Amino acid sequence: MTLPIAGKPAAAKGPVPQGEALLRGIERLRKELDAVILAHYYQDAEIQEIANFVGDSLQLSQQAAATSAKVIVFCGVHFMAETAKILNPDKQVLLPDLDAGCSLSDRCPPEQFARWLEQYPGHKVVSYINCSAGVKALSDVICTSSNAEKVVQSFPAGTPIVFAPDRHLGAWVGKKTGRELVLWPGFCIVHEQFTERQLTKLKVRHPQAKLIAHPECDESVLAMADYVGSTRGLLEYVKSSPAKSFIVATEVGILHLMQKARPDAELIPAPPSSGCNCAICPYMRLNSLEKVYLCMRDRAPEITLPEDLRRRALEPVRRMLELSATGRP
Ligand code: 13P
Ligand code: SF4
């Protein structure tokens, strides 16, 4: 049976298949287009299941840089797909939902960032990959949550550095490296919701559980964590830890592969300040299997960039990839 997607006008090219037929349709289009499907850990489990590769922001940009596929279907958010385009001007990059933004990227417009930077002449600019191509083009080097320490340490001690757009990741990296970083005051709306108060209550209820947290969380949360790391880091920690119970302070999408890797472990999603079990990124979750199918069928929405901007954004992304090429980030 086929049904139109709720809330969307029926597509001119016919309705979207459902169930098994939808999966077969995606498979057929993947072959026809010579497409690779890349998915972030925060995607719905059913998207992670059909992806060629699931990873964190660094792994996904490395995959995008290395792929020989003609089309990249990026199941993540806009800045991720845009990074894939920066690296692949000759490939078609599709994003299932063009509205899949990011609070960090959206609240750091390039024009405002350029004016802010004028206050810090002579500073090196390290930008978290969660930013637009315009902000990347104003940066010396890009980093992700898994290589931020290494990227900051690539500058000689004493180098004045500004870090944007996540103030929590910036503060954490500053602490780890002993560097004083000037921070752009951005934050992630998902990780900002975890509080020391809620997590303390949860720790009391689960005293044996290890608390693991993403560095986009507030400093007070990171201070009480047993481990702080990128989504891949959190997954690896759970895989290799002898512990049987974990409180996970990041978007709940990561629990899918964590539970698969550790079916014996109890995974407790950290509650946001509201107390609900719903640490879900509203941008990431705009994508759906139906939209994955549609973007391949219609070859849209497509990520495009002015060539001059792409070139300027490419250098800092390349620098990051070079710095991450040797050993683990
Ligand atoms: P990582 O993929 O680097 O863990 O970052 C998580 C995130 O919030 C991506 O938007
Ligand atoms: Fe942006 Fe936070 Fe969503 Fe990641 S989880 S895409 S940082 S809003």
Side-chain angles (χ1 to χ4, degrees), residues 34-35 53 63 174 185 197 208 234 290 314 326:
D34 185 10
F53 185 85
Q63 288 290 321
R197 188 183 153 86
Q208 307 301 332
L234 301 179
E290 285 83 356
L314 177 60
T326 44

Side-chain angles (χ1 to χ4, degrees), residues 42 77 102-104 130 188 190 216 281 283-284:
Y42 295 165
V77 291
C102 167
S103 60
L104 281 164
N130 298 37
C188 159
V190 179
E216 287 173 13
C281 174
Y283 306 102
M284 286 273 183

Side-chain angles (χ1 to χ4, degrees), residues 264-293:
D264 61 311
E266 178 190 26
L267 302 177
I268 306 156
S273 47
S274 63
C276 68
N277 267 349
C278 53
I280 288 174
C281 174
Y283 306 102
M284 286 273 183
R285 303 310 181 110
L286 283 175
N287 296 326
S288 65
L289 273 188
E290 285 83 356
K291 289 178 192 173
V292 172
Y293 170 87

Side-chain angles (χ1 to χ4, degrees), residues 169-205:
L169 175 63
W172 181 73
V173 172
K175 211 167 167 184
K176 295 282 281 184
T177 57
R179 305 289 182 98
E180 235 177 80
L181 307 176
V182 180
L183 306 177
W184 172 272
F187 59 89
C188 159
I189 54 165
V190 179
H191 292 86
E192 175 103 343
Q193 292 184 67
F194 302 127
T195 63
E196 185 185 357
R197 188 183 153 86
Q198 287 283 356
L199 287 164
T200 304
K201 280 195 210 164
L202 207 55
K203 285 278 273 183
V204 171
R205 293 219 309 274

Side-chain angles (χ1 to χ4, degrees), residues 110-125 138 162 182 184:
E111 314 70 40
Q112 208 178 322
F113 186 58
R115 280 199 304 277
W116 182 76
L117 284 179
E118 284 169 12
Q119 300 172 82
Y120 306 105
H123 284 58
K124 294 294 176 190
V125 181
L138 293 165
V162 300
V182 180
W184 172 272

Side-chain angles (χ1 to χ4, degrees), residues 103-169:
S103 60
L104 281 164
S105 181
D106 296 353
R107 292 177 194 178
C108 186
E111 314 70 40
Q112 208 178 322
F113 186 58
R115 280 199 304 277
W116 182 76
L117 284 179
E118 284 169 12
Q119 300 172 82
Y120 306 105
H123 284 58
K124 294 294 176 190
V125 181
V126 178
S127 293
Y128 189 28
I129 197 164
N130 298 37
C131 65
S132 63
V135 169
K136 286 184 174 75
L138 293 165
S139 308
D140 290 289
V141 59
I142 301 305
C143 71
T144 76
S145 59
S146 58
N147 62 16
E149 243 181 282
K150 189 171 184 173
V151 168
V152 165
Q153 270 169 335
S154 71
F155 293 103
T159 307
I161 297 174
V162 300
F163 188 97
D166 186 19
R167 66 175 182 219
H168 298 304
L169 175 63

